[in-house]
Amino acid sequence: MPPSIECTPVTGSCPAQTFHARDLTITRSMALKPFTDPRTMTGSTTDHMLKVTWSNSTGWGVPEIVPYAPLALDPTATVLHYANECFEGMKAYRNKRTGKIQVFRPDLNAKRLNMSADRIALPSFDNDEFVALLCAFVAVEERWLAWSGNSTILEYDENDFLYLRPMMIGTTPRLGLAKPNDAMFLIIATKFSSWHTRPLRLLASSPEESVRAWPGGFGFAKVGANYGPTLQYQTRAVSLGYDQVLWLFDVEKRYVTEAGGANFFVVWRTEDGGVELVTAPLETGTVLDGVTRRSVIELVRERLPEVSVTERQFTVGEIVAAVDSRRIIEAFACGTAYFIAPVAEIGISGRDVTIPLKVEGKSGEYARTIRRWLEEIMYGEIDHAWGVAVN
């Protein structure tokens, strides 16, 4: 819950500390977007958006779902000048057994959005109310997970999903660096068919030239300032034939952090012959507490006791040593967008280091297994607490 706020005796009332799903109003679009085969509509925004405004004096307003439309912002809005914006990435799926829609671990996205908002001086909200509003919005957009505009169980592509983008921006019309007095919370959605990511080629960054995140910064928060400054280096990587950047930190140690905007995992054999799944730790503040990352760690610890899961700082030199000594087993990136994406090659200081792909040359065995476990939960093939139904 957000921190309590003391009422002022003068007004006799308090600013609303959170929005409430019970207050939601819905204005349905009278001109729905043309709907054909969803595979031809990848990236299309849906018919509606959800928005709630906030002000320092009155708190949160009434949430509303309205037809999708451009926002009206003053040119001096703080988001345009001081980067007061944060967001989440989530997906909604149809349960393959029941045909109903469900979302994956939305409580974690709510908590992370609250944390990100706090980092950039935006208001907080109640996590349960966030989940309730999200589910209400997804229910309104149900037709986007159907083949022909209706929600009958037999007429949808079972592998499609909606990509959900909750976000918050500072809207105070004022030049001058200060905490915003006004903000807006929104949820939009885009349509995607299932993603079958090919193995990735990563280019290890040069910390002397560019660093994505650093201790004491904001690499742990999902804010736009974490992403825009990476595009120059990413563009260079793509021009050299790579898909993304493997971000390193510390000029001397060259610690591995993230792969593009995704968390990064390596599976290797340890010196004593054991199998270890290793990823960068959260404590340094240089990587995002990814929902997929957390799910991978929890599932492996629960279902593969023979694999040691380690969250620690590790270097790109350790990867090279594991490859050269043939201890490397596989590597993969994970996140809402990439899901589970096997890594085939890493460009390190002019050398392309090859990572094994033992499953048809497309994936490692652990990545394939973990991906399948997550798909079973996300698409409702098994009952699991992480799959939250939309009523």
Side-chain angles (χ1 to χ4, degrees):
M1 289 287 290
S4 60
I5 301 176
E6 293 185 3
C7 300
T8 58
V10 176
T11 62
S13 62
C14 294
Q17 297 181 54
T18 189
F19 38 68
H20 292 283
R22 65 172 181 264
D23 299 329
L24 176 66
T25 65
I26 301 175
T27 302
R28 292 185 179 270
S29 174
M30 300 303 292
L32 299 180
K33 296 180 179 182
F35 192 90
T36 54
D37 186 334
R39 290 171 296 183
T40 68
M41 301 182 72
T42 293
S44 299
T45 53
T46 59
D47 301 300
H48 302 87
M49 61 186 187
L50 184 149
K51 65 178 182 178
V52 198
T53 58
W54 173 90
S55 75
N56 189 53
S57 58
T58 61
W60 286 105
V62 174
E64 54 181 345
I65 293 176
V66 297
Y68 186 93
L71 298 177
L73 284 178
D74 192 287
T76 61
T78 56
V79 64
L80 301 177
H81 303 271
Y82 309 115
N84 297 113
E85 69 89 20
C86 55
F87 62 95
E88 280 297 314
M90 311 173 64
K91 293 176 184 175
Y93 315 81
R94 275 204 185 272
N95 185 303
K96 290 186 177 181
R97 293 177 300 144
T98 67
K100 294 183 178 181
I101 299 177
Q102 63 182 42
V103 289
F104 183 74
R105 307 192 79 174
D107 57 312
L108 297 183
N109 295 96
K111 293 175 183 177
R112 189 171 64 185
L113 187 61
N114 250 326
M115 178 271 297
S116 298
D118 179 70
R119 183 65 181 85
I120 53 175
L122 290 179
S124 59
F125 52 83
D126 181 81
N127 294 332
D128 291 337
E129 295 295 339
F130 168 95
V131 173
L133 284 182
L134 180 87
C135 289
F137 173 73
V138 172
V140 168
E141 302 295 58
E142 180 183 19
R143 81 183 188 103
W144 289 85
L145 281 176
W147 271 106
S148 58
N150 62 54
S151 58
T152 56
I153 188 170
L154 298 178
E155 295 186 345
Y156 65 91
D157 182 344
E158 63 181 10
N159 293 315
D160 284 357
F161 59 85
L162 282 181
Y163 187 87
L164 308 174
R165 175 48 59 84
M167 57 185 138
M168 197 187 306
I169 61 175
T171 57
T172 300
R174 177 189 63 211
L175 291 180
L177 187 59
K179 180 178 179 178
N181 291 325
D182 308 272
M184 183 183 298
F185 169 76
L186 302 113
I187 303 177
I188 61 171
T190 57
K191 181 72 174 77
F192 284 101
S193 293
S194 58
W195 293 347
H196 296 288
T197 307
R198 60 181 173 78
L200 299 174
R201 297 185 72 234
L202 305 179
L203 175 65
S205 69
S206 172
E208 297 89 347
E209 296 182 60
S210 185
V211 176
R212 191 200 72 88
W214 53 92
F218 41 85
F220 62 90
K222 203 166 181 67
V223 297
N226 266 336
Y227 298 87
T230 69
L231 299 179
Q232 183 184 46
Y233 210 102
Q234 177 187 328
T235 301
R236 183 198 305 180
V238 172
S239 72
L240 295 173
Y242 298 92
D243 300 296
Q244 265 296 353
V245 178
L246 181 63
W247 288 101
L248 308 182
F249 175 74
D250 193 304
V251 172
E252 294 183 1
K253 298 292 187 180
R254 308 178 87 80
Y255 292 118
V256 174
T257 60
E258 294 193 345
N263 295 117
F264 180 76
F265 285 83
V266 174
V267 185
W268 53 31
R269 293 200 176 276
T270 59
E271 297 289 354
D272 59 7
V275 177
E276 181 181 47
L277 175 71
V278 61
T279 192
L282 301 178
E283 290 76 12
T284 62
T286 58
V287 300
L288 196 69
D289 184 5
V291 176
T292 310
R293 173 191 182 277
R294 182 181 296 203
S295 302
V296 167
I297 289 172
E298 292 177 3
L299 286 174
V300 172
R301 283 177 171 160
E302 173 189 336
R303 302 183 181 185
L304 294 175
E306 69 277 13
V307 176
S308 174
V309 180
T310 305
E311 299 173 72
R312 68 169 176 86
Q313 288 186 304
F314 66 104
T315 68
V316 73
E318 291 182 72
I319 295 177
V320 173
V323 169
D324 290 344
S325 62
R326 298 186 179 181
R327 292 185 294 105
I328 195 77
I329 297 176
E330 62 186 86
F332 58 89
C334 75
T336 302
Y338 275 109
F339 193 22
I340 305 294
V343 173
E345 208 167 44
I346 305 174
I348 304 172
S349 300
R351 171 189 173 186
D352 285 333
V353 175
T354 300
I355 309 296
L357 296 171
K358 295 183 178 180
V359 181
E360 300 176 353
K362 298 178 180 180
S363 177
E365 295 179 359
Y366 288 101
R368 181 184 64 170
T369 298
I370 294 166
R371 180 187 178 104
R372 186 66 194 125
W373 286 344
L374 288 169
E375 286 176 335
E376 288 175 343
I377 298 170
M378 292 171 172
Y379 287 97
E381 296 176 48
I382 61 172
D383 288 323
H384 199 285
W386 293 352
V388 177
V390 173
N391 294 320

